[in-house]
């Protein structure tokens, strides 16, 4: 993902160390995602009660909603070790074998970007997930022999932004498949308050709500915006982050009242102006914007869809009347002048 902005910051880049410290460490400290937390907490309690490792879990949903955080929390709650890898980094079956054979009983093996696991590695994972065994090939060549190797009983926690790209056989091997939703403004306000307390930032209710409302339903964005607003308040010598301070700081970064940044607005403007509201395919949009198609699909579109700025049809993407109103354009892309 190449989008470098205050919204995404690149997938895991600037500020990531402080963001890590803002992450809740256990289920009790976790705000939001009630349905996911409930299912997770039952599975954890039951597994602990039986003294067994947890079933494999798949978290899916847009970036920044807490999939990695929850994977760490699962390990903490299970008193288990934590090993992590990402789909594209596991290039060869040998990379996977090295990790699997070193896992201890009950360990959590977190695989991020599960949908980018190479097919050959994915197929190697099936028997490991199902029966905790793998076949190792000895003496490759015409006399190749395989030996079965028993593994410790571990738990895979997979994360993906693209559940639709996970193959059927892989999906079937997860005992729990949990969808992460965008957070409500109320939940995000609570998260901003919690982060402000940890970072010792003085913030008013209005300040916290303003940041929450411009965070595109995403805690990672709330925490980034909070820090940019803190910078502004410090430089402008404001004692406290009020609504006015928050608005002024976010205006500087081009984050509007709906939380849209310049790429979001450009994306919508192109659909409205160049494609007369659509339908238009994502490949054409990516080419026009000079952006990766994956960035549009993973980062830009989910929030625009959920907030009602965009529709996805079988023939392509279409802007909505709400998008035109938000940008002050009529449906032909003409600027609407006040009467
Ligand atoms: N920080 C980031 N995400 C959070 C969440 N869901 N709950 C509490 N603090 C958070």
């Amino acid at each position: 993902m190449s989008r470098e902005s205050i919204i995404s910051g690149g997938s895991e880049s600037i500020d990531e160390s402080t963001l890590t410290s803002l992450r809740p460490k256990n289920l009790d400290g976790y705000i939001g995602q009630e349905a996911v937390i409930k299912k997770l907490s039952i599975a954890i309690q039951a597994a602990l009660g039986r003294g067994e490792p947890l079933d494999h879990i798949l978290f899916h949903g847009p970036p920044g909603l807490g999939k990695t955080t929850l994977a760490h929390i699962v390990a903490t709650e299970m008193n288990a070790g934590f090993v992590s890898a990402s789909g594209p980094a596991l290039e060869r079956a040998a990379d996977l074998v090295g990790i699997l054979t070193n896992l201890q009983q009950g360990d959590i093996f977190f695989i991020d970007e599960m949908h980018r696991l190479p097919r050959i590695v994915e197929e190697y994972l099936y028997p490991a997930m199902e029966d905790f065994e793998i076949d190792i090939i000895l003496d490759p060549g015409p006399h190749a022999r395989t030996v079965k190797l028993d593994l410790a009983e571990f738990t895979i926690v997979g994360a993906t932004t693209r559940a639709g790209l996970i193959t059927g056989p892989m999906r079937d091997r997860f005992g729990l498949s949990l969808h992460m939703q965008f957070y409500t403004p109320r939940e995000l306000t609570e998260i901003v308050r919690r982060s402000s307390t940890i970072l010792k930032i003085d913030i008013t209710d209005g300040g916290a709500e303003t940041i929450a409302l411009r965070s595109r339903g995403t805690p990672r964005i709330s925490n980034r915006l909070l820090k940019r607003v803190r910078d502004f308040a410090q430089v402008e010598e404001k004692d406290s982050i009020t609504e006015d301070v928050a608005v002024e700081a976010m205006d500087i970064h081009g984050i509007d009242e709906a939380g849209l940044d310049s790429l979001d607005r450009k994306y919508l403007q192109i659909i409205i102006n160049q494609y007369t509201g659509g339908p238009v395919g994502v490949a054409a949009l990516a080419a026009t914007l000079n952006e990766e198609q994956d960035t549009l699909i993973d980062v830009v579109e989910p929030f625009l869809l959920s907030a009602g700025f965009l529709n996805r049809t079988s023939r392509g993407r279409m802007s909505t009347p709400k998008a035109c109103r938000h940008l002050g354009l009529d449906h032909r892309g003409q600027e609407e002048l006040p009467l």
Side-chain angles (χ1 to χ4, degrees), residues 19-33 37 64-66 69-70 73 180 183 187-188 190-192 194-195 198 218-223:
L19 289 185
T20 306
S21 71
L22 293 177
R23 286 176 176 165
K25 303 284 184 292
N26 46 45
L27 284 178
D28 276 351
Y30 202 91
I31 297 161
Q33 302 296 338
I37 299 297
L65 299 191
T69 302
L70 279 179
I73 289 178
M180 311 281 289
Y183 292 63
E187 290 163 348
L188 290 171
E190 209 181 320
I191 290 171
V192 172
R194 175 184 177 276
S195 300
I198 295 171
T218 307
R220 186 188 288 164
I221 297 177
S222 297
N223 286 334

Side-chain angles (χ1 to χ4, degrees), residues 10-26:
S11 65
E12 301 267 321
S13 56
I14 41 155
D15 296 343
E16 214 53 44
S17 56
T18 353
L19 289 185
T20 306
S21 71
L22 293 177
R23 286 176 176 165
K25 303 284 184 292
N26 46 45

Side-chain angles (χ1 to χ4, degrees), residues 120-338:
I120 179 128
V121 177
E122 174 173 328
E123 284 172 6
Y124 223 80
L125 206 50
Y126 295 158
M129 290 175 79
E130 211 151 73
D131 303 315
F132 303 108
E133 58 183 35
I134 42 171
D135 287 323
I136 306 260
I137 301 167
L138 300 176
D139 314 326
H143 304 295
R145 288 180 299 133
T146 62
V147 286
K148 274 203 191 315
L149 209 64
D150 285 332
L151 302 169
E153 291 181 32
F154 62 93
T155 298
I156 297 239
V157 176
T160 181
T161 50
R162 305 280 283 280
L165 297 184
I166 302 282
T167 63
M170 180 51 95
R171 241 190 344 253
D172 292 345
R173 282 168 174 79
F174 286 99
L176 275 171
S177 176
L178 302 173
H179 180 63
M180 311 281 289
Q181 313 258 13
F182 284 112
Y183 292 63
T184 63
R186 187 187 290 239
E187 290 163 348
L188 290 171
T189 304
E190 209 181 320
I191 290 171
V192 172
R193 283 211 197 90
R194 175 184 177 276
S195 300
S196 302
T197 307
I198 295 171
L199 297 173
K200 301 190 171 54
I201 296 174
D202 198 339
I203 192 164
T204 65
D205 287 348
E209 277 160 26
T210 304
I211 293 175
L213 283 169
R214 297 190 185 206
S215 300
R216 308 164 109 257
T218 307
R220 186 188 288 164
I221 297 177
S222 297
N223 286 334
R224 286 217 170 93
L225 291 177
L226 175 63
K227 291 208 246 158
R228 298 295 70 80
V229 176
R230 171 179 66 172
D231 287 351
F232 175 78
Q234 183 187 323
V235 170
E236 293 288 315
E237 298 181 5
K238 311 278 187 193
D239 299 333
S240 171
I241 295 178
T242 59
E243 180 177 341
D244 287 348
V245 171
V247 167
E248 216 178 315
M250 287 186 288
D251 282 350
I252 291 170
H253 287 284
I255 312 291
D256 68 26
E257 320 83 72
L260 307 194
D261 71 0
S262 62
L263 178 57
D264 298 315
R265 288 190 296 270
K266 235 185 314 173
Y267 172 97
L268 291 173
Q269 260 157 5
I270 284 173
I271 299 182
I272 297 166
N273 288 323
Q274 280 177 246
Y275 297 95
T276 54
V280 50
V282 68
L285 288 169
T288 314
L289 283 161
N290 198 20
E291 277 289 339
E292 296 274 337
Q293 199 168 306
D294 277 354
T295 304
L296 298 186
I297 295 172
D298 287 345
V299 183
V300 176
E301 293 183 339
F303 180 72
L304 296 179
L305 284 162
S306 92
F309 291 115
L310 182 70
N311 279 329
R312 220 161 36 192
T313 71
S314 57
R315 291 183 304 133
R317 277 70 173 156
M318 296 185 75
S319 58
T320 62
K322 181 177 175 182
C324 296
R325 279 198 304 277
H326 184 72
L327 298 175
L329 301 170
D330 72 14
H331 66 283
R332 290 181 303 277
Q334 305 293 313
E335 213 164 303
E336 279 190 319
L337 297 170

